[in-house]
């Protein structure tokens, strides 16, 4: 058999075409197989998927897409398959699914931040880090009366600042700098290596116990990332929720009066509030629950990742797809809440109004094994701040200023505009 130059060229071209076709067919088969496994959803563009179509208010967009494609839907987001779970029935099931406890493998800023905090970890390292964080924080005072004392001291010094102002001013700017200053002060304190006084001591202690362990996640980079996590996750969320609560108090002054009446009937205007007082202050608690529901500051959960092939509500969730729970859809579902677009704390009261009931579908802090570890601390702070402020001040906005509840979205659901507030001492 003779091969001429043109024969060889034709052979090579055919061979090349054959390879390309094989590659494409294989790719298409794999793509179709994966897409067939995934829940239905909108198509996007090649390579980027649905990414360019995502809106700022993505929780509303996800709720709209759920109405079109079903409560569990999916779309491509760059190279990732993203599955969005809506409605309480399905989110409830997903929160208890042990294969949906992972986080994305990638770091947020590769090359800039290459270490994970425990909020970004998966599997055994996440379990170990979370356990040490929770036990240390519990042992050093989270949820103890000493913690209440330090929050009360913090509120007291902040109230003094408020009293010293004769003019209206932006509460919100002060608030932010106040919290940042407090955290900075705490950071300056000397650390006694022999006794665990705070989370950093606890972490270093664990790090030395595990120094011979190969691939231990207890290292200084993780400590730094975890410290930043606690600061970030703990301060912005609380101050943003308090800002929403202040806005609701000035928008609906009747609730301010109701809470102050409850304070007068229970602890009075002079004794400092304590965590146990919550039990006899149903309306105050109902106001806090409604503020968390109505603002839903974390409307879509932090991204989860399926660590195995799994199912939710009969829909397949392939391994390594990213999963989002749309808490907003739960908090604004008319099947669960009467007139969800109204701010109505009374919805959390029982029939004779003697108790505030928190239903399981109030999921501001998520749920299941990855539930926010700061939940009880957040309730404590929100309660102490709210009651202390209303014991001391009548809060109003500058006259003539319309109180807008419009939302803006920068990671958390924030206020679009913030009025200057007037704090008049309660006589
Ligand atoms: C109103 C206040 C807060 C809200 C609404 C909130 C909400 C949330 C939500 C929805 C998650 C995601 C959980 C999941 O993946 O299922 C989360 C995680 C987390 N939160 Fe909070 N949080 C608040 C306050 C705090 C505070 C005060 C702290 C710490 C002192 C904190 C520390 C964390 C941490 C460390 C995680 C990651 C947990 C993990 O991945 O295992 N949060 N939070």
């Amino acid at each position: 058999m003779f091969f001429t130059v043109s024969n060889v060229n034709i052979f090579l071209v055919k061979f090349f075409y054959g390879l390309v076709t094989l590659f494409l067919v294989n790719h298409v088969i794999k793509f179709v197989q994966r897409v067939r496994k995934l829940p239905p959803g909108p198509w996007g563009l090649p390579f980027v998927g649905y990414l360019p179509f995502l809106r700022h208010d993505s929780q509303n967009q996800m709720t709209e897409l759920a109405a079109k494609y079903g409560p569990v839907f999916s779309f491509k987001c760059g190279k990732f398959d993203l599955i969005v779970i809506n409605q309480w029935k399905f989110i409830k099931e997903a929160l208890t699914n042990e294969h949906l406890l992972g986080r994305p493998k990638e770091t947020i800023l590769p090359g800039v931040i290459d270490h994970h905090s425990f909020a970004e970890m998966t599997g055994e390292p996440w379990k170990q880090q979370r356990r040490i964080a929770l036990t240390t924080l519990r042992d050093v005072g989270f949820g103890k009366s000493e913690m209440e004392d330090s929050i009360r001291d913090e509120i007291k010094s902040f109230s003094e600042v408020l009293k010293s102002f004769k003019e209206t001013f932006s509460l919100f700017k002060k608030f932010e700098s106040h919290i940042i200053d407090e955290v900075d002060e705490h950071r300056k304190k000397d650390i006694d290596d022999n006794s665990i006084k705070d989370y950093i001591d606890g972490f270093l202690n664990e790090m030395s116990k595990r120094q011979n362990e190969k691939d231990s996640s207890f290292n200084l980079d993780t400590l730094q990332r975890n410290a930043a996590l606690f600061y970030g996750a703990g301060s912005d969320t609380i101050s943003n929720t308090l800002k929403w609560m202040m806005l609701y108090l000035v928008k609906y002054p009747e609730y301010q009066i109701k809470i102050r009446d409850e304070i007068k009937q229970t602890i009075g205007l002079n004794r400092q509030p304590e965590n146990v007082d919550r039990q006899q202050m149903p309306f105050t608690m109902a106001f806090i629950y409604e503020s968390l529901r109505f603002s839903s500051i974390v409307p879509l959960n932090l991204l989860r990742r399926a660590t195995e092939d799994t199912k939710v509500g009969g829909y397949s969730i392939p391994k390594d797809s990213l999963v989002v729970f749309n808490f907003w859809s739960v908090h604004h579902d008319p099947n669960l809440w009467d007139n969800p677009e109204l701010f109505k704390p009374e919805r959390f009261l029982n029939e004779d109004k003697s108790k505030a009931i928190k239903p399981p579908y109030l999921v501001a802090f998520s749920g299941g094994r990855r539930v926010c570890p700061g939940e009880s601390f957040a309730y404590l702070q929100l309660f102490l701040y709210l009651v202390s402020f209303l014991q001391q001040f009548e809060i109003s906005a500058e006259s003539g200023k319309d109180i807008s509840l419009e939302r803006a979205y920068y990671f958390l659901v924030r206020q679009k505009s913030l009025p200057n507030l007037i704090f008049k001492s309660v006589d």
Side-chain angles (χ1 to χ4, degrees):
M1 191 183 216
F2 293 101
F3 288 105
T4 62
V5 172
S6 59
N7 263 348
V8 170
N9 278 349
I10 289 169
F11 174 77
L12 279 178
V13 168
K14 280 187 176 169
F15 182 70
F16 176 73
Y17 272 123
L19 269 186
V20 171
T21 315
L22 211 69
F23 173 78
L24 285 177
V25 168
N26 184 32
H27 202 72
V28 168
I29 290 174
K30 276 196 178 152
F31 177 76
V32 171
Q33 276 174 344
R34 184 147 176 110
V35 166
R36 281 183 63 186
K37 262 180 140 189
L38 285 164
W43 286 88
L45 301 173
F47 302 111
V48 284
Y50 202 66
L51 206 57
F53 305 109
L54 289 181
R55 304 197 313 242
H56 267 298
D57 61 332
S58 35
Q59 67 278 13
N60 290 324
Q61 189 182 12
M62 297 305 131
T63 311
E64 288 158 24
L65 290 171
K68 190 166 171 193
Y69 295 102
V72 180
F73 66 87
S74 72
F75 56 85
K76 266 236 162 309
C77 218
K79 65 174 181 168
F80 303 105
D81 292 314
L82 205 113
I83 296 173
V84 185
I85 304 183
N86 298 265
Q87 290 183 14
W88 173 234
K89 181 177 164 205
F90 301 99
I91 291 182
K92 184 178 161 192
E93 185 187 329
L95 285 172
T96 55
N97 184 325
E98 59 173 320
H99 300 312
L100 295 179
L101 288 170
R103 295 273 194 228
K105 287 176 183 160
E106 289 71 16
T107 57
I108 305 167
L109 295 169
V112 182
I113 300 175
D114 285 320
H115 286 86
H116 284 161
S117 72
F118 83 81
E120 297 141 274
M121 289 178 182
T122 300
E124 207 42 46
W126 164 68
K127 277 188 205 155
Q128 291 169 358
Q129 290 284 340
R130 188 172 160 116
R131 187 172 49 79
I132 292 300
L134 290 185
T135 47
T136 310
L137 291 174
R138 189 198 55 213
D139 292 348
V140 299
F142 245 41
K144 288 187 178 167
S145 56
E146 294 89 335
M147 178 63 75
E148 285 187 52
D149 288 344
S150 65
I151 298 173
R152 276 191 292 267
D153 287 348
E154 193 181 296
I155 296 172
K156 211 169 158 193
S157 60
F158 188 42
S159 300
E160 293 309 316
V161 177
L162 287 175
K163 279 178 191 157
S164 70
F165 277 83
K166 300 277 176 279
E167 306 290 320
T168 67
F169 68 99
S170 169
L171 162 76
F172 305 110
K173 286 201 182 69
K174 270 268 149 250
F175 211 97
E176 248 147 39
S177 65
H178 169 74
I179 289 178
I180 291 166
D181 289 351
E182 276 295 320
V183 174
D184 285 346
E185 271 314 301
H186 281 72
R187 281 182 170 166
K188 280 185 211 154
K189 281 182 202 162
D190 283 340
I191 299 158
D192 179 358
D193 278 342
N194 300 316
S195 60
I196 296 174
K197 284 193 180 143
D198 58 23
Y199 171 65
I200 296 177
D201 290 345
F203 189 101
L204 292 173
N205 192 41
E206 189 67 18
M207 194 166 112
S208 76
K209 278 193 216 158
R210 290 173 183 267
Q211 59 187 332
N212 296 325
E213 225 175 75
K214 204 172 155 262
D215 297 332
S216 163
S217 65
F218 286 84
N219 53 55
L220 290 176
D221 288 315
T222 305
L223 173 57
Q224 234 175 341
R225 293 280 293 116
N226 283 355
L229 165 72
F230 279 121
Y231 172 62
S235 60
D236 202 19
T237 48
I238 299 283
S239 67
N240 191 37
T241 309
L242 281 169
K243 286 176 196 174
W244 277 120
M245 282 170 42
M246 294 293 143
L247 272 188
Y248 302 143
L249 288 173
V250 291
K251 177 89 178 171
Y252 308 107
E254 63 274 24
Y255 294 138
Q256 207 178 133
I257 294 170
K258 265 190 138 166
I259 297 173
R260 195 171 298 103
D261 281 349
E262 192 170 70
I263 294 173
K264 284 178 186 163
Q265 282 157 24
T266 51
I267 55 177
L269 294 181
N270 297 318
R271 171 168 78 74
Q272 287 192 323
E274 292 169 22
N275 201 23
V276 289
D277 295 324
R278 279 159 61 167
Q279 284 150 25
Q280 39 163 354
M281 299 180 74
F283 190 79
T284 308
M285 287 315 295
F287 180 86
I288 293 175
Y289 294 149
E290 180 67 341
S291 301
L292 289 166
R293 180 197 74 84
F294 199 72
S295 61
S296 294
I297 62 159
V298 186
L300 300 173
N301 200 24
L302 309 185
L303 280 177
R304 298 277 189 96
R305 176 174 57 86
T307 47
E308 295 294 337
D309 282 352
T310 187
K311 282 189 177 206
V312 169
Y315 295 91
S316 292
I317 302 189
K319 184 175 179 207
D320 283 335
S321 39
L322 301 183
V323 181
V324 165
F325 307 147
N326 185 356
F327 294 142
W328 183 271
S329 73
V330 178
H331 289 164
H332 292 82
D333 183 348
N335 297 313
L336 298 174
W337 315 91
D338 174 36
N339 272 324
E341 294 317 319
L342 290 185
F343 184 86
K344 211 170 82 177
E346 295 86 349
R347 66 173 87 246
F348 287 97
L349 294 175
N350 65 350
E351 222 168 294
D352 68 3
K353 299 183 177 20
S354 61
K355 270 199 177 92
I357 314 276
K358 183 167 85 70
Y361 43 85
L362 178 66
V363 275
F365 298 92
S366 184
R369 287 176 61 201
R370 215 151 186 164
V371 66
C372 170
E375 177 172 5
S376 35
F377 181 59
Y379 274 119
L380 174 65
Q381 290 218 56
L382 295 175
F383 175 76
L384 295 184
Y385 264 102
L386 175 66
V387 174
S388 305
F389 276 7
L390 291 184
Q391 274 181 319
Q392 301 174 76
F393 305 108
E394 272 170 27
I395 309 169
S396 57
E398 273 180 313
S399 61
K401 289 271 154 71
D402 187 35
I403 309 296
S404 158
L405 297 182
E406 233 186 301
R407 300 166 176 119
Y409 307 93
Y410 312 106
F411 183 58
L412 298 180
V413 175
R414 298 171 195 276
Q415 308 72 24
K416 193 157 191 185
S417 59
L418 298 165
N420 283 349
L421 298 184
I422 302 169
F423 284 78
K424 186 171 164 275
S425 287
V426 173
D427 299 321

